Amino acid sequence: MILIAGDSWGCGCWDTNQKVYHRGLEQYLHDNGHNVINLSGGGSCLEETTQVLGNFLRQIQLSPWLWMPEPITKVFVFQTEWNRGGGFDHLLNPAQRELLKFKNQGDDQKIIASFYSTLSYFAIEYNVDIQIIGGCSDTIYIDNFEKHYPGVSIACQSFTNLLVNDNHRIDNPVFSVRFPPQLIKDEHTIQLAQLGQEREKVWQANPDWMYPDGGHPNHLGHKKLYEHIKGVLT
């Protein structure tokens, strides 16, 4: 059994009426004989993704569904922007809230690293293999990633770069497409904002992959993603 979690990129392909017209990666996995449950939600933030995923894995461990034909062994998580708010502050203690604030250069990666640490905890606690896909946000990519985050791997660093340049690795990853204006205060944050603007231009310049809504990969894009990641399914 495979789980998918994340934001709107994990939901599938969207039309101009903000409706999912194709289930994307979920559909291709299903069509190729895999049992799939998709927990993704449009607009989800990193905290919401981990909250929903953790609750589901915990519930299934305590009380498996009768209709589930097999245990969950693999999870694909679509990474989204670190700066999205999800209304989960009430679940965090003051130290955790402080950790998830952007104040200095590198804090965006610190927030993303915290997300990876939570996924690693799930991988170990619930004995699942978690594969991250850089969707609306690219992922961090470091050597020996699994040594730092046991049970977690990068299946695709950049969905966008995979589509446009046939390479899932990217030299300058984009972690926020719409960088919060209130955080732009120096040359570094200006550069981060510009990277996000350039990413949106890349989407707009590649309708073959991003049509019809211009902000999410279409069914052809998800087919290419499936072809890329299917090697980790065995």
Side-chain angles (χ1 to χ4, degrees):
M1 176 73 74
I2 296 173
L3 285 186
I4 298 175
D7 64 348
S8 56
W9 283 51
C11 293
C13 315
W14 296 76
D15 62 22
T16 54
N17 296 315
Q18 298 184 327
K19 302 278 188 183
V20 172
Y21 75 87
H22 186 280
R23 299 294 293 182
L25 179 62
E26 175 192 356
Q27 186 70 56
Y28 291 114
L29 289 166
H30 173 80
D31 291 348
N32 284 275
H34 298 281
N35 295 305
V36 189
I37 296 174
N38 195 336
L39 306 176
S40 301
S44 290
C45 62
L46 297 180
E47 292 84 359
E48 187 172 8
T49 295
T50 54
Q51 184 78 10
V52 170
L53 178 59
N55 285 344
F56 185 86
L57 291 171
R58 189 177 305 110
Q59 175 195 355
I60 293 301
Q61 184 185 68
L62 293 174
S63 181
W65 294 352
L66 295 177
W67 62 264
M68 291 184 68
E70 57 190 22
I72 295 164
T73 57
K74 193 171 298 291
V75 181
F76 288 103
V77 176
F78 283 79
Q79 182 174 321
T80 195
E81 300 167 291
W82 59 267
N83 54 280
R84 289 190 187 179
F88 282 85
D89 280 356
H90 65 287
L91 300 175
L92 307 176
N93 61 45
Q96 289 172 321
R97 282 195 290 269
E98 195 66 22
L99 175 68
L100 298 178
K101 288 182 180 179
F102 183 95
K103 293 182 179 179
N104 303 298
Q105 183 171 340
D107 280 357
D108 51 346
Q109 297 188 51
K110 176 191 70 177
I111 293 168
I112 294 169
S114 176
F115 172 65
Y116 295 162
S117 294
T118 302
L119 294 180
S120 180
Y121 168 79
F122 292 159
I124 296 169
E125 179 72 11
Y126 302 110
N127 192 30
V128 293
D129 172 36
I130 297 181
Q131 301 277 336
I132 305 175
I133 296 168
C136 189
S137 163
D138 299 332
T139 77
I140 296 172
Y141 201 101
I142 56 177
D143 292 333
N144 301 316
F145 187 93
E146 293 181 62
K147 179 179 179 181
H148 297 278
Y149 305 103
V152 180
S153 303
I154 302 298
C156 177
Q157 185 187 9
S158 175
F159 194 169
T160 299
N161 208 53
L162 175 68
L163 297 180
V164 176
N165 296 311
D166 294 317
N167 186 355
H168 83 100
R169 294 288 305 278
I170 187 168
D171 293 332
N172 294 305
V174 178
F175 302 128
S176 176
V177 177
R178 296 177 178 87
F179 193 85
Q182 67 272 22
L183 297 182
I184 300 176
K185 57 185 178 181
D186 54 26
E187 183 177 348
H188 173 66
T189 49
I190 290 173
Q191 290 175 345
L192 293 180
Q194 289 174 338
L195 280 174
Q197 292 169 357
E198 291 168 5
R199 174 55 59 85
E200 283 200 285
K201 290 178 182 177
V202 169
W203 293 345
Q204 295 163 6
N206 287 273
D208 287 351
W209 299 117
M210 306 299 293
Y211 178 86
D213 83 328
H216 300 85
N218 59 24
H219 60 288
L220 299 176
H222 276 265
K223 179 69 175 348
K224 189 168 183 176
L225 175 67
Y226 170 74
E227 295 294 334
H228 172 73
I229 60 92
K230 67 181 183 180
V232 304
L233 295 173
T234 55

